[in-house]
Amino acid sequence: MANYNAWANQHILDACAGLEAGELTAPRAAFFPSIIKTLNHILVADRLWLGRLVGVPERLALDAVLYAGFSEFRTAREAQDAKIIAFTEQLDADTLASDLSYQSMLAGAYTLPREIVLAHMFNHQTHHRGQLHSMLIEAGAKSLSMDLVYYCLEVDA
């Protein structure tokens, strides 16, 4: 899932790179009201979740714009994807089955199995990539084929 996640993010980044000036920051009808703000939210959430998983939690606002410029954002996104892949490659079955206790940004303390936390992290990205896909089409980009089956077909080809 970490490799698929990075692959899907590359499709989003490539589509963003092809947009006309101003489209990344143009107001959009979404929870995070622009492409760049939605991109940053996904990165923020990944940093929060990965920080919890590795035992070095971060404190970031869910709507923080860490990188307003696309070039800097892309570099940070690609670095985060590499960190996620490296983290998942060292996991074993016992670690995945163990519980993770963490402090929520908006509520109290929780304990969940690490495998559920990882599934949530990837599902969260998928959720917001769907929103980005809609905003990208609105901005003039072509529709993207980012479903997991397309990744599997491309990797196995």
Side-chain angles (χ1 to χ4, degrees), residues 86-146:
F87 172 75
T88 59
E89 286 177 342
Q90 56 84 37
L91 291 172
D92 59 32
D94 289 340
T95 303
L96 278 172
S98 69
D99 285 343
L100 174 70
S101 296
Y102 66 92
Q103 179 67 40
S104 168
M105 294 292 297
L106 304 174
Y110 295 98
T111 300
L112 289 169
R114 288 177 194 278
E115 61 191 357
I116 296 298
V117 171
L118 276 168
H120 169 74
M121 185 174 74
F122 295 127
N123 189 61
H124 178 262
Q125 281 211 32
T126 299
H127 166 70
H128 285 297
R129 274 194 304 265
Q131 293 172 340
L132 283 167
H133 189 212
S134 180
M135 289 188 273
L136 285 164
I137 291 169
E138 178 185 355
K142 293 181 181 177
S143 183
L144 303 173
S145 296
M146 296 181 297

